[in-house]
Amino acid sequence: MTRFAACFILVFGELAWGGLFALAIPPFFNVERGFYKSSASVYLAASLTTAIGLGLLALRAGTADGPGAGSLWMAAALWTLSSAAVAVYLYTLWTENGLLRARSYALGLGLGLVALIANVMLLMPRGFGAVAAVAYGLTAITSALVLGLVSGAMLFGHWYLIDLEMPVDYLRTFVRLLGIALVADLIALGLAIGLPATLGSAGAVAGVHELFAAHLGLLGFRLLLGPVATIVLVWMSWQTLKIPETRAATGLLYIAVMSVLVGEMLGRFILFRTAIPL
């Protein structure tokens, strides 16, 4: 059960890093600071959840098919360090210490990326090889960007109810980058299947074979309810912003958050069943 839980805890880590990345999109000095305070609190909570979850799994690690206690403790420690840096960044939002704010943000983003890669590598079976490792890291990053951008865009959309004069171009930038991230995610998912199948080890090839032999329907739902549905919703949001109508666009982004989460949860279940990082 350790591997099963670790697969789904990864979603919180992806949200934490991707969300922190998304905070860099709107211009800091032109946006109400409350957006950064509330959003950073959400992503700090996700980072702490990942660190605590991995630590609890490390306490009971020992199953033959799951990550070892040492690897779990290392990933938990990395997420703890990243959380500490994000906590400092959050504190600086109540101060005017711009230098500390910039350094703590960059440190949190860097440590979070290292923690994310270490986290996903915990789930790769031994013997899958370097090609599979590339696929694992790539899909973790693109999934994190999609989760962070869709949640960040949804949260940012609410601030148009507070600041009625805020330019709609800020939200358009979020939506545009989210669309790009979704296309990149689809490409990464294709590579996560194609690279192990053609260049991977025997274990990786067997995982791809199992995916198509026993979980083809699950793969279809993962793609349809995840990135495909979200791309449609993002396009609708983009068209709505041409009116411009930020409230309707934010409502569509709410639904997009749900579709992304459904897709990611299905992807983590596929990862658990086949070891293919979708």
Side-chain angles (χ1 to χ4, degrees), residues 20-115:
L20 189 64
F21 175 88
L23 291 181
I25 294 173
F28 182 82
F29 293 106
N30 296 342
V31 175
E32 167 63 41
R33 198 173 291 191
F35 163 72
Y36 296 94
K37 293 176 182 177
S38 58
S39 300
S41 297
V42 171
Y43 302 132
L44 175 59
S47 182
L48 288 171
T49 299
T50 310
I52 294 170
L54 291 173
L56 291 174
L57 289 179
L59 289 174
R60 65 175 194 175
T63 57
D65 62 339
S71 298
L72 286 166
W73 280 123
M74 182 178 295
L78 288 170
W79 279 117
T80 300
L81 290 173
S82 176
S83 298
V86 176
V88 173
Y89 166 74
L90 182 59
Y91 161 74
T92 64
L93 294 174
W94 276 270
T95 74
E96 298 304 321
N97 193 334
L99 181 61
L100 180 60
R101 183 185 307 122
R103 289 182 174 177
S104 58
Y105 176 83
L107 183 60
L109 199 62
L111 287 172
L113 180 59
V114 174

Side-chain angles (χ1 to χ4, degrees), residues 211-212 215-228 266 270 278:
L211 173 65
F212 284 98
H215 304 290
L216 188 58
L218 189 60
L219 173 62
F221 280 117
R222 193 271 181 264
L223 296 175
L224 183 61
L225 299 179
V228 174
L266 289 172
I270 291 173
L278 299 179

Side-chain angles (χ1 to χ4, degrees), residues 8 23 37 46 64 109 135 137 145 148 153 155 160 179 185 192 198 263 270:
F8 288 94
L23 291 181
K37 293 176 182 177
L109 199 62
L145 290 174
L155 292 170
Y160 285 90
D185 193 40
T198 56
I270 291 173

Side-chain angles (χ1 to χ4, degrees), residues 54-185:
L54 291 173
L56 291 174
L57 289 179
L59 289 174
R60 65 175 194 175
T63 57
D65 62 339
S71 298
L72 286 166
W73 280 123
M74 182 178 295
L78 288 170
W79 279 117
T80 300
L81 290 173
S82 176
S83 298
V86 176
V88 173
Y89 166 74
L90 182 59
Y91 161 74
T92 64
L93 294 174
W94 276 270
T95 74
E96 298 304 321
N97 193 334
L99 181 61
L100 180 60
R101 183 185 307 122
R103 289 182 174 177
S104 58
Y105 176 83
L107 183 60
L109 199 62
L111 287 172
L113 180 59
V114 174
L116 178 64
I117 298 301
N119 195 163
V120 74
M121 290 306 169
L122 288 173
L123 304 170
M124 188 176 75
R126 293 192 183 108
F128 258 44
V131 172
V134 171
Y136 268 71
L138 184 61
T139 55
I141 291 172
T142 57
S143 290
L145 290 174
V146 169
L147 275 166
L149 287 168
V150 72
S151 62
M154 184 272 291
L155 292 170
F156 188 73
H158 287 81
W159 289 93
Y160 285 90
L161 300 174
I162 299 171
D163 187 350
L164 301 180
E165 303 300 322
M166 192 161 58
V168 72
D169 284 344
Y170 297 167
L171 187 55
R172 285 195 185 115
T173 301
F174 260 113
V175 173
R176 184 188 305 115
L177 291 176
L178 175 56
I180 294 171
L182 283 164
V183 173
D185 193 40

